[in-house]
Amino acid sequence: MLKQKSQKNKNVRRTNLMTLIILAAVILSIAGTVFFGNMSFYSKSAPQEDDIIFDLSDYDFEGGDTAYLNGKWYIYKDALVVSEGGTDGEASAVLDIPFSWYDAVAGNGFIPRDKASYVCYIKNVNSDEFLSMFIKNIPSAYRIYINDVLVSYNGNLSGEDIWTEAAHNDLPFTLQKDGVYRLAVETRTQNNLGLYMPVQMSDYSSANARQSMSVAFRFLVCGIVFSCAVIFIVLKYTVNRDLYSLWLPVLSFILLLRLFLTNEGFAVMQKFFGDISYDVIGTFSFVLTFIIKLTALIYITKNVKIKVADNVYVLFSAIFLVLSLGVNFFPDTVFNAYYHLLLQLVSVIIDIYIINKLCIEIVKKTDYARLYLLSYIFIVVGVLIDVFFTNGIIHANCSSVMPVCFLLFVIFTAIIHALRIKKLFEFAIQAEKFEIELEKANTSLMLSQIQPHFMYNALNTIKSLIRKDPEKAEKAVIDFSMYLRGNMDSLTKTDPIPFSEELAHIKHYCNIEQLRFGDKLDVFYEIGTDEFYVPTLSVQPIVENAIKHGVTKKAEGGSVTIITDEDKYNYYLTVEDDGVGFDVVKALKMKDDKRSHVGIKNVKERLEVIMNAEVDIQSEPGKGSKVVITLPKDKNVKTLQESLEFQEKTIALEEMEI
């Protein structure tokens, strides 16, 4: 007891340590992405020779360089300096653009909530080709002007109808190398914080080529995820309804929707969603984040057979519902801009729960638990990085990280199912071999039962009875012929038979033996039920052992009792004798061709393999023997094929509980 408790505590410690290590690795990978991504982003920032003036002389736009205009900008609060009239008024402040989220949380009074304009100057642009300027992945509606000429826009920011497009509409333009140009960015938003993503400037052709590649890659991943979902639906309803879970296609379709609703995905798909503005998509992204986590929780726990109480699902669903409703009622403060971000981070609670459960299974050495953990980590990392990028915490372009992570999830899921299919295929081959061996074993057992000395003794008994007691002789002939017929029939019977048939065969055998041994052998039948199935010639050899190597070896003889009974879950069959007994271990080690015990090992294996029975052999030299066969009712099959199918289904359900 103390040893079991110690082992349990050790497993708990190992599980907790593994969970902490994995969570630390996930946090470090995301923090590293944020840090190094933003460091590389700021290292590409255009230099300023003075506040608000960017010098672009070091950029080779024709060679594919991109300039990020990160630095000091004038900000005009509550004003659209070009579309609503000049810059006669003084700027509200000079701010670092794009501003950090820390500035917004600290309550910096210069962070705009409705409309604002940002102004800077650029000079020394080295390019004879068309240029492009845009702001990637920002939910605010914006317009970009160079010397009051519109060069890029995103949605509508005039009047009361504020509407944001996910795609940036950048118009090609050229600039003189020695010119100084005023750059003005007007933004307007309902739920977001102004200009928190960088203004980018690059060669027009290169920018569009990169954009096209990003879109193509994202939709390639979408196609793979969609194909995965469809394939598993087809497999479930055409190959094996029990092996394949519908939760995987459901999760795949939700991941697909998440790819459609962010970054390049929504830039293409927005027109199919009607008049939904891009800044409203934050709510949908939050909802999808929670649904992804909840669906993944159900999918993984069902497939890895992790026991999870129903109230856990109810609790997570309740949290999701309350936070979703809170979006509509949260106070209109600067914190409101962070609400969707914080809500999505709350879903990390589910991540921790799933990771801990999978670590428990890894400690238990559950099949495929490591692969499930690794595949889920890809979902966690992909979603979190996408959340940070969408909300401006990561300024570097990492829109392809989530598609890559989802692709890796699909790949590892395919590997898991490939390993399962391989295992089932190997089982099918073993089952086929088993069926062949079983037929050989049945034949061998039947032949071993028709022993020359038994036939000689039986015929001599009948011969002696013909003159003394013709009626008994006639009955003995019938029993002997029925016994032979039963053995011959077993050659063609591979399927289990009703116990009533096996019992009739036993009685024919026992009647012959009682004629031979007379008062030295008594056979009693306590048959509570005979409505179950056993393999052919599986009980008769046990009775023969009891008579031949038990009772008749005893000088005064003895008795054999055959008992059947049942309860709610099992059938019970007992063969008991009060003979000389034997060494069970030694008997089981003997080969079937040894005559000390007739195929006892063979019979035991057949009952266990075909009927999933438990065979308990008890014996002690000098005190008799007892064989108890326990046959589970839910596994008491009528045919060999049914037995093989049942074993295949059992293995499948052990790997994937549906």
Side-chain angles (χ1 to χ4, degrees), residues 15-244:
T15 298
N16 293 338
L17 179 61
M18 187 181 299
T19 302
L20 290 174
I21 291 173
I22 292 171
L23 290 175
V26 171
I27 292 171
L28 287 174
S29 65
I30 295 173
T33 302
V34 174
F35 178 77
F36 292 108
N38 285 342
M39 286 294 292
S40 63
F41 163 74
Y42 284 113
S43 68
K44 298 177 182 178
S45 299
Q48 288 184 296
E49 69 174 27
D50 196 0
D51 286 352
I52 75 169
I53 301 176
F54 291 91
D55 184 356
L56 305 180
S57 57
D58 293 333
Y59 288 86
D60 180 12
F61 293 107
E62 294 177 10
D65 286 351
T66 298
Y68 294 93
L69 305 181
N70 312 310
K72 302 295 184 180
W73 289 59
Y74 286 138
I75 179 173
Y76 296 83
K77 289 187 63 179
D78 301 321
L80 302 178
V81 296
V82 177
S83 57
E84 290 184 352
T87 55
D88 296 336
E90 292 185 2
S92 303
V94 176
L95 289 181
D96 284 324
I97 303 297
F99 62 82
S100 68
W101 282 99
Y102 173 79
D103 292 333
V105 173
N108 192 318
F110 295 109
I111 304 302
R113 287 300 316 280
D114 180 19
K115 61 182 179 180
S117 297
Y118 307 84
V119 175
C120 71
Y121 293 87
I122 57 176
K123 68 177 186 176
N124 298 329
V125 178
N126 296 320
S127 178
D128 294 325
E129 302 294 331
F130 286 112
L131 299 171
S132 172
M133 188 172 287
F134 58 89
I135 306 170
K136 185 177 178 64
N137 194 45
I138 186 169
S140 302
Y142 71 82
R143 295 177 184 146
I144 301 178
Y145 297 90
I146 295 180
N147 287 353
D148 296 344
V149 176
L150 182 66
V151 296
S152 184
Y153 64 94
N154 175 23
N156 177 58
L157 49 79
S158 300
E160 298 297 325
D161 183 21
I162 304 174
W163 191 77
T164 308
E165 289 181 90
H168 51 79
N169 302 285
D170 45 318
L171 308 175
F173 61 89
T174 59
L175 298 176
Q176 298 295 322
K177 294 181 180 180
D178 56 354
V180 178
Y181 301 91
R182 188 186 69 155
L183 175 64
V185 179
E186 299 178 342
T187 66
R188 193 172 181 188
T189 182
Q190 293 177 327
N191 300 311
N192 294 282
L193 295 176
L195 189 61
Y196 62 81
M197 295 297 281
V199 177
Q200 303 180 35
M201 184 174 174
S202 60
D203 179 76
Y204 182 81
S205 299
S206 299
N208 280 274
R210 285 193 294 267
Q211 179 71 7
S212 298
M213 289 179 63
S214 297
V215 171
F217 176 73
R218 179 170 287 246
F219 278 87
L220 174 64
V221 174
C222 289
I224 294 173
V225 174
F226 177 79
S227 299
C228 170
V230 172
I231 288 171
F232 276 99
I233 291 174
V234 172
L235 288 174
K236 180 172 180 64
Y237 288 102
T238 60
V239 178
N240 190 320
R241 296 177 67 91
D242 296 320
L243 176 60
Y244 299 98

Side-chain angles (χ1 to χ4, degrees), residues 577-584 617-626:
D577 70 77
D578 54 5
V580 297
F582 62 94
D583 187 328
V584 177
I617 303 174
Q618 306 168 19
S619 185
E620 186 176 345
K623 294 186 178 181
S625 305
K626 183 178 181 180

